[in-house]
Amino acid sequence: MNAPTPLPTPPRARKPDWIRVKAPTSEGYAQTRKLMRSLNLATVCEEAACPNIGECWTKKHATVMILGDTCTRACAFCNVKTGMPRAVDPFEPQNTAIAAAQLGLEHIVITSVDRDDLPDGGASQFVKVIEALRRETPKTTIEILTPDFRNKSEDAVVRIVDAGPDVYNHNLETVPRLYPTIRPGARYYASLRLLESVKRRAPHIFTKSGVMVGLGEQRLEVHQVMDDMRSADIDFLTMGQYLQPTPRHAAVEEFVTPQAFQGYAAIARAKGFLLVAASPLTRSSYHAGDDFKKMQAARAAKLAR
């Protein structure tokens, strides 16, 4: 009996004009890439196929991805490779600080892969990176984008918070209904509790979270996520268009228009976020330095009322 003929892979939806970006070719891009390679640092800009890499690297803004380039999870939206990671690089914290100094960063974003194989989920490496940055580039403000540290002790998050980042980001990514297919290794309410615990322990640290749209979520579900975030006292909401990295990843269900993003942003601001960034190309660390200054100004204005 002949084997069944495999079904053809459906073609990916054509991107609308508002989502297209030019390929990176600038000298600044090449210099940033060379520096990251020389220091053996991974970046989420490359590993997650960020559409803004050309713009950001031209300005010498890069988001360092610590704990290697291999994730222990396999989320349906993420382009970072999955597998058994290598041993944690002991030189990574110092090399991250060297990169920040050489790039002249006023603000740096540090993220990581999920490391469910480590007893603390990699929290101690975040602490070491923060300490190295404070030591080598004390004027650089620090934003971290962490995993959920699922099934790890609460001490993992406590240690990072006590190390004193300026912004603590952890993305909810999508609405609760889509977690089983889009983010199966995570739990929506566990992520909310993580962010709530950060704010409870250190009210002065800005908290931040992001969602992708275009995965099949309903508008009212997105509004509910906003309400959940505000209940957890999250300061900053980012919203961007999901883009399918490869045919094996979750398909784009909808390309959300810039006008619809503006509508989401207006609703989010009305719900009380200090800052909202919502556009098709918005990503967690896109314009993060400028946004940090805006958050500082918004908090100062709120306290002055």
Side-chain angles (χ1 to χ4, degrees):
M1 183 175 178
N2 293 332
T5 303
L7 295 173
T9 302
R12 281 191 278 177
R14 180 177 173 83
K15 294 177 184 176
D17 291 340
W18 65 74
I19 207 77
R20 295 177 194 170
V21 294
K22 294 180 180 179
T25 57
S26 72
E27 182 179 347
Y29 170 88
Q31 291 173 348
T32 301
R33 188 175 188 275
K34 182 179 179 181
L35 176 63
M36 294 298 141
R37 293 290 180 278
S38 69
L39 294 171
N40 196 33
L41 293 174
T43 69
V44 76
C45 321
E46 294 175 287
E47 305 301 333
C50 179
N52 303 314
I53 187 170
E55 177 187 344
C56 294
W57 281 27
T58 295
K59 298 176 181 177
K60 298 190 176 180
H61 295 168
T63 298
V64 176
M65 190 171 76
I66 64 172
L67 295 165
D69 62 0
T70 304
C71 189
T72 54
R73 298 188 193 174
C75 295
F77 64 88
C78 185
N79 196 48
V80 176
K81 65 185 177 184
T82 302
M84 180 52 66
R86 291 174 291 181
V88 176
D89 180 1
F91 301 105
E92 198 172 54
Q94 186 62 27
N95 285 342
T96 300
I98 291 171
Q102 292 194 16
L103 291 170
L105 296 180
E106 294 182 6
H107 186 85
I108 188 170
V109 182
I110 307 296
T111 189
S112 79
V113 291
D114 278 286
R115 291 296 300 262
D116 295 318
D117 58 311
L118 299 175
D120 68 349
S124 58
Q125 190 78 339
F126 272 99
V127 172
K128 291 173 184 176
V129 170
I130 293 169
E131 291 174 344
L133 288 164
R134 294 295 187 213
R135 184 172 60 248
E136 301 296 332
T137 58
K139 293 184 179 180
T140 302
T141 49
I142 302 171
E143 178 172 330
I144 56 167
L145 171 54
T146 75
D148 59 7
F149 301 111
R150 187 179 171 211
N151 297 328
K152 308 303 177 185
S153 71
E154 291 185 8
D155 183 58
V157 175
V158 167
R159 290 181 62 197
I160 296 174
V161 172
D162 289 351
D166 298 284
V167 182
Y168 195 117
N169 186 2
H170 172 65
N171 288 330
L172 296 184
E173 305 292 9
T174 189
V175 301
R177 177 177 58 85
L178 297 179
Y179 263 55
T181 53
I182 300 303
R183 201 178 175 218
R187 299 293 178 268
Y188 177 81
Y189 290 102
S191 288
L192 269 177
R193 286 194 297 271
L194 182 155
L195 287 158
E196 188 176 36
S197 70
V198 171
K199 183 60 76 172
R200 187 168 56 244
R201 185 169 183 85
H204 64 283
I205 294 177
F206 291 106
T207 50
K208 177 177 175 180
S209 190
V211 293
M212 302 170 290
V213 292
L215 283 161
E217 70 289 332
Q218 299 297 313
R219 178 174 288 272
L220 290 180
E221 290 180 306
V222 177
H223 294 174
Q224 183 60 57
V225 170
M226 294 178 187
D227 288 336
D228 292 342
M229 286 186 180
R230 290 305 302 131
S231 295
D233 205 15
I234 292 169
D235 297 304
F236 184 7
L237 165 66
T238 60
M239 296 183 66
Q241 170 70 50
Y242 167 67
L243 297 175
Q244 185 182 16
T246 73
R248 71 176 185 275
H249 288 85
V252 175
E253 297 294 331
E254 177 189 7
F255 284 109
V256 179
T257 66
Q259 293 75 22
F261 274 104
Q262 290 173 10
Y264 275 133
I267 291 168
R269 293 187 187 100
K271 290 180 182 294
F273 289 96
L274 271 183
L275 193 66
V276 179
S279 75
L281 290 175
T282 292
R283 296 297 182 266
S284 290
S285 54
Y286 189 44
H287 296 161
D290 292 337
D291 286 338
F292 176 69
K293 293 175 182 177
K294 291 177 184 177
M295 270 198 296
Q296 287 180 309
R299 175 183 282 175
K302 185 176 180 180
L303 294 173
R305 290 174 192 165

